[in-house]
Amino acid sequence: MTEMLGTLLLLSLALQARRVCGDDTAAPADEPAPKVAIPAFTPYSVPGAALWEQFAGGLEPAWKRSLATKADKAENRYDGEWAAEDVAELAGVAGDKALVAKSEARHHAISTQLGQPLDPAQGGLVLQYEVKLQNKLSCGGAYVKLLTAPLRGEFSDATPYTVMFGPDKCGEAKMHLIFRHRNPVSGEYTEHHLMQPPVPPTDSMSHLYTLAVFTNNTFSVAIDGTERRTGSLLDDFEPPVNPPKEIDDPDDTKPADWEDDASIPDPDAEKPDDWDEDAPLMVPDEDAVMPKGWLVDEPLMVEDPSAEKPADWDDDEDGDWAAPMVPNPRCESADGCGPWERPQKRNPGYKGKWAPPLIDNPRYKGEWAPRRIDNPVYFEDRELYRLSAVGGVGFELWTMQSGITFDNIYLGDSVATAAQIADDVWKPKHDSELAVHAALNPKPPAKAASAASGVLEQLRARFAEIFTSIHSFYSVLREAGPAAALREEARGAAASAMAAVGLAWLAWNVLLLARLAIGTGAAAPARAHPPAAGDSDADAATASSTARAGAGKTATKRK
């Protein structure tokens, strides 16, 4: 146990020393960045898809940029630029074009129409696409809208959509999953939002987002091929789709004579004659006596007797000089100075404001509530997967950063097809990006132990490796959240925990040593200076009197 704690202590000290002194194992600043061979883009076909888009042929004529204005604010135009171009930051595939939002602090809108509408009622719905944040993201959206068929007019925020899905970040990052449902009685559409959505990553890698809606009214949300949220269209959305059978009658009002107070003040109670509402809460303590050592005529502050008038002081310009005030030295050894006042104590006769006691209300009828009536727009839809047919796909976004990139968009009804695309297209690209990232951010190599340094060099190399794993863990933690950090940098998480334990152990031992030192110092005078045999009774009496005076002064000041 002691060896383990010692190792932890060495680790924490080494990490601190590395932070202060730096690491001479790092590569020189002028060393060229390593080159990594990345695969070339190869077109991929997906037969039977309602939409499969890799943007290899550019945007037009399939994708149309909107020239509309926002419906809620007519002065806001969709003036953000779009382009189909190669990825510029951390590219994993050479020549792989993607849809890129090019403008900062702009509204962006672009859409494409399907060859024929996709009806989720026939076999469900599967949507999958990639997002890459080339310039990170502080505030902006990266979600997609499945537009309701038939498409009419210029695409904008007023265009009806069936499903909205994807990541968004303005403050905290979150995933949107919203579907619009039409009330068959009223004909009105309502947006239903997923409760407890998963948190998307926000780093600069390409990430894959997959939504599946099944014909049993369930859904699945996956990120990078890992299922992150499942649930029911009936139970996991707010507000619920199916309204209540009964509602409060909006025309029912509480009667004027309705008593809903269970208790009321006793109308027969009277204030006692001896009840003094004006009595103060605190009164002077008449039993208190001014301490004998209290100096009534001494001021608390006096002029500093050692102060001298500055040589450059000009009475005509600076006024009459006066010495600065300092605490009265005579008050330091006295019980107090200045006018003495009796301390305050709680008034035993204080009762406060009088109020009559409460009694049961004889006319109490209970809590009033409006009567319940049948909901005039009630319905029960048990087949929510029968969403409105999808006629197109659009991105309608506001973003403060450029470089939001979309690629490999699949829309259909096959989970197996989406999984095959993930394996064949996204995963090789993601692995390539990881290799490029690792080459651009190499971990410092551990130096071999020399004959001269021996064990010390081995420890230093080990500490450098541990520090790098901790640094990688916190980098992933900041960019992708705790789940991704624990999954991708498990060694770094363990090293962070061990370092924290080591620092806590060190702090505990420092505290323990400090307490021992204080205790030893307090007891030392009694052992070092025992009373000598020749000490006079007068000296002993003087010492005792001084101790009592000091104790009396402390007690008086506390009072």
Side-chain angles (χ1 to χ4, degrees):
M1 183 64 177
T2 304
E3 292 179 358
M4 184 185 73
L5 292 176
T7 301
L8 290 174
L9 176 58
L10 285 174
L11 171 62
S12 62
L13 293 175
L15 292 175
Q16 186 65 24
R18 178 187 173 101
R19 176 182 297 176
V20 175
C21 302
D23 178 20
D24 58 9
T25 64
D30 56 352
E31 183 176 324
K35 294 184 179 180
V36 177
I38 60 176
F41 172 75
T42 302
Y44 189 85
S45 62
V46 182
L51 175 68
W52 169 243
E53 181 60 84
Q54 291 190 292
F55 299 100
L59 296 182
E60 297 179 351
W63 289 84
K64 180 183 177 184
R65 177 187 162 192
S66 175
L67 300 177
T69 57
K70 290 180 69 68
D72 56 349
K73 291 185 178 180
E75 68 273 14
N76 290 336
R77 296 179 56 250
Y78 291 104
D79 54 358
E81 295 292 334
W82 294 93
E85 62 185 21
D86 293 355
V87 172
E89 298 294 331
L90 202 65
V93 176
D96 182 17
K97 296 190 180 301
L99 175 65
V100 183
K102 299 290 292 181
S103 308
E104 298 179 356
R106 298 285 183 87
H107 295 277
H108 296 72
I110 194 169
S111 63
T112 186
Q113 187 168 347
L114 303 183
Q116 64 180 43
L118 171 66
D119 186 2
Q122 301 303 314
L125 179 150
V126 177
L127 169 64
Q128 181 172 275
Y129 70 111
E130 295 175 14
V131 175
K132 183 179 182 66
L133 306 174
Q134 296 194 63
N135 298 325
K136 298 297 181 69
L137 189 64
S138 64
C139 184
Y143 44 82
V144 60
K145 289 182 176 181
L146 303 185
L147 308 180
T148 304
L151 303 185
R152 296 187 180 91
E154 196 81 6
F155 175 47
S156 73
D157 59 329
T159 302
Y161 67 88
T162 299
V163 171
M164 186 173 114
F165 171 70
D168 188 16
K169 183 177 187 295
C170 220
E172 294 184 356
K174 63 179 179 180
M175 286 289 295
H176 285 297
L177 175 50
I178 308 170
F179 71 90
R180 295 173 73 247
H181 183 270
R182 180 179 178 274
N183 186 314
V185 178
S186 68
E188 296 181 353
Y189 280 88
T190 302
E191 293 182 351
H192 302 275
H193 297 246
L194 175 63
M195 297 184 292
Q196 300 176 348
V199 177
T202 56
D203 57 36
S204 55
M205 301 289 179
S206 292
H207 292 285
L208 188 69
Y209 298 94
T210 309
L211 167 66
V213 178
F214 304 103
T215 55
N216 62 353
N217 290 328
T218 62
F219 70 91
S220 169
V221 173
I223 300 177
D224 294 346
T226 301
E227 200 169 62
R228 299 284 297 276
R229 181 77 162 88
T230 61
S232 166
L233 298 176
L234 290 165
D235 303 326
D236 293 300
F237 287 79
E238 184 67 26
V241 173
N242 294 317
K245 286 185 176 182
E246 293 184 337
I247 61 172
D248 292 339
D249 185 354
D251 299 324
D252 190 16
T253 58
K254 184 172 73 171
D257 60 347
W258 188 279
E259 294 278 354
D260 52 10
D261 292 326
S263 300
I264 60 172
D266 185 357
D268 298 327
E270 296 182 358
K271 184 174 71 173
D273 294 336
D274 60 349
W275 192 288
D276 185 2
E277 293 183 340
D278 299 325
L281 175 63
M282 303 296 290
V283 294
D285 184 1
E286 299 298 336
D287 296 329
V289 179
M290 184 177 71
K292 293 181 179 180
W294 193 284
L295 305 178
V296 178
D297 298 327
E298 287 290 338
L300 294 175
M301 304 292 290
V302 295
E303 292 184 354
D304 186 357
S306 62
E308 296 181 358
K309 180 179 178 180
D312 58 349
W313 187 276
D314 189 332
D315 290 339
D316 294 333
E317 294 183 3
D318 302 326
D320 293 336
W321 180 83
M325 304 297 286
V326 296
N328 190 342
R330 296 194 61 189
C331 296
E332 294 181 3
S333 58
D335 293 328
C337 288
W340 179 80
E341 296 181 356
R342 294 182 184 278
Q344 297 281 310
K345 69 175 184 179
R346 187 177 179 85
N347 184 1
Y350 174 77
K351 295 184 179 181
K353 294 294 182 181
W354 180 85
L358 296 177
I359 62 172
D360 292 339
N361 186 354
R363 294 178 296 179
Y364 175 65
K365 295 183 178 181
E367 293 292 333
W368 182 86
R371 61 176 172 267
R372 304 283 288 176
I373 60 172
D374 293 337
N375 189 346
V377 294
Y378 172 74
F379 68 91
E380 186 176 20
D381 187 347
R382 306 303 298 182
E383 296 180 329
L384 298 183
Y385 72 92
R386 293 178 174 271
L387 300 169
S388 301
V390 178
V393 174
F395 296 93
E396 189 261 320
L397 310 168
W398 160 264
T399 175
M400 291 299 295
Q401 282 76 42
S402 62
I404 301 178
T405 305
F406 307 95
D407 201 6
N408 297 321
I409 306 171
Y410 167 73
L411 179 62
D413 57 11
S414 173
V415 174
T417 299
Q420 194 65 49
I421 294 172
D423 289 340
D424 296 344
V425 180
W426 170 77
K427 192 174 188 307
K429 176 194 292 188
H430 190 254
D431 291 344
S432 178
E433 290 177 347
L434 291 175
V436 172
H437 182 271
L440 295 176
N441 301 274
K443 294 182 178 181
K447 295 177 65 176
S450 63
S453 58
V455 175
L456 290 178
E457 281 299 320
Q458 291 183 7
L459 284 174
R460 188 180 188 283
R462 179 58 178 159
F463 289 158
E465 180 182 348
I466 293 174
F467 176 83
T468 302
S469 65
I470 292 176
H471 178 73
S472 300
F473 168 71
Y474 280 104
S475 297
V476 177
L477 179 66
R478 287 194 302 269
E479 294 181 354
L486 290 172
R487 182 176 64 253
E488 298 177 16
E489 294 290 344
R491 293 181 62 189
S496 299
M498 291 179 65
V501 171
L503 291 173
W505 178 80
L506 174 62
W508 169 256
N509 280 274
V510 170
L511 274 174
L512 185 60
L513 290 173
R515 291 182 63 184
L516 287 173
I518 292 172
T520 303
R527 294 192 298 269
H529 302 286
D535 287 345
S536 67
D537 294 340
D539 291 339
T542 301
S544 177
S545 175
T546 303
R548 286 197 302 272
K553 172 185 174 183
T554 302
T556 303
K557 289 186 175 180
R558 287 181 178 174
K559 181 182 294 185

